[in-house]
Amino acid sequence: MNDIVIYGSGGFAREIAHLIEDINEKDPQWNLLGFIDDDVESHGSVINELPVLGGIEWFNDRDLTSVVMGIGSPNAKEKIISNLRNLSNVDFPNLIHPSVKFSRFNNIGQGNVICEGNILTTNIVVKDFVTINLNCTIGHDTIISSYCTILPNSSISGNVLFEEKVDFGTNATIIQGIKVGCGTIVGAAAVVVKDLPANCTAVGMPAKPIKFHEGSRNDFLNI
């Protein structure tokens, strides 16, 4: 089996450990060594019978080791991956729960996590370091760009485009043919029926931006 570590040691990281157990139960693939965490105070502790091995320095002088992101925040994922890419002895496998319905015509990059109960129909593109949490449905020809996170029970119709680092809330829904801009956060239970601009927070039914990050509102208003 291949050595693997989970980056992060919080609640989602523990869920990833459970995901690896489920994968191994059906097809033993992974030797889970423990967690990597940038919080020095956590080093040496034990969480659910697995050690917190250290920070990024732990990879020094290691043989090739696989890494999976146990962190949901799109911005945090991007920052951590930018550091890990400087190392020559890590790789980033896709972890897909055995229960996931996934068409052979879908296209998937690297470092993605697809949790239990998801259905991804056909001709879908999932780029790199995407997290799809429990029990989501994703329709045909949708594109999920890198570092996006889709939280539990979300419903994504066909021909949707998520640009990079979209954070799509629990129980949120988006109808077909809609684009969500880079870095936008969609609130829990929101219903998206129109395109959303980059770098905003959108909530409600229908979803509307309630907060813009610096520089994005002028783009939205075309001024």
Side-chain angles (χ1 to χ4, degrees), residues 86-132:
N86 295 322
L87 306 177
S88 60
N89 57 345
V90 301
D91 65 7
F92 306 102
N94 295 310
L95 294 190
I96 301 175
H97 193 275
S99 69
V100 171
K101 302 293 187 183
F102 192 88
S103 166
R104 63 190 174 93
F105 298 108
N106 292 341
N107 187 328
I108 188 167
Q110 64 174 338
N112 299 291
V113 174
I114 305 180
C115 297
E116 186 172 5
N118 284 291
I119 300 173
L120 289 79
T121 61
T122 191
N123 300 99
I124 294 164
V125 176
V126 178
K127 295 190 178 180
D128 301 329
F129 308 108
V130 169
T131 304
I132 304 176

Side-chain angles (χ1 to χ4, degrees), residues 192-215:
V192 182
V193 298
K194 293 183 179 179
D195 290 353
L196 292 174
N199 297 314
C200 73
T201 297
V203 301
M205 185 187 311
K208 297 180 180 178
I210 59 168
K211 179 181 179 182
F212 290 86
H213 303 185
E214 184 178 356

Side-chain angles (χ1 to χ4, degrees), residues 118-197:
N118 284 291
I119 300 173
L120 289 79
T121 61
T122 191
N123 300 99
I124 294 164
V125 176
V126 178
K127 295 190 178 180
D128 301 329
F129 308 108
V130 169
T131 304
I132 304 176
N133 215 305
L134 301 164
N135 298 321
C136 301
T137 59
I138 301 178
H140 62 88
D141 299 295
T142 284
I143 299 174
I144 310 294
S145 300
S146 297
Y147 306 109
C148 288
T149 291
I150 301 169
L151 293 176
N153 302 312
S154 295
S155 179
I156 299 169
S157 297
N159 284 306
V160 165
L161 170 60
F162 281 1
E163 295 184 337
E164 287 193 357
K165 296 186 288 182
V166 168
D167 196 343
F168 200 69
T170 300
N171 271 325
T173 297
I174 183 168
I175 67 169
Q176 68 276 3
I178 299 297
K179 182 178 80 172
V180 180
C182 178
T184 281
I185 300 169
V186 177
V191 177
V192 182
V193 298
K194 293 183 179 179
D195 290 353
L196 292 174

Side-chain angles (χ1 to χ4, degrees), residues 25-103:
E25 186 174 344
K26 184 170 183 178
D27 179 19
Q29 300 178 38
W30 300 110
N31 176 33
L32 178 54
L33 301 177
F35 303 99
I36 301 296
D37 199 306
D38 295 326
D39 179 5
V40 175
E41 293 187 0
S42 72
H43 297 174
S45 63
V46 176
I47 299 172
N48 289 359
E49 301 180 351
L50 292 167
V52 179
L53 299 164
I56 195 169
E57 72 284 349
W58 179 84
F59 293 97
N60 295 340
D61 302 321
R62 288 282 310 177
D63 293 332
L64 182 66
T65 302
S66 295
V67 180
V68 58
M69 297 304 297
I71 294 169
S73 164
N75 289 330
K77 285 192 289 186
E78 182 185 43
K79 181 178 180 181
I80 292 167
I81 292 299
S82 70
N83 292 327
L84 290 173
R85 283 189 188 278
N86 295 322
L87 306 177
S88 60
N89 57 345
V90 301
D91 65 7
F92 306 102
N94 295 310
L95 294 190
I96 301 175
H97 193 275
S99 69
V100 171
K101 302 293 187 183
F102 192 88
S103 166

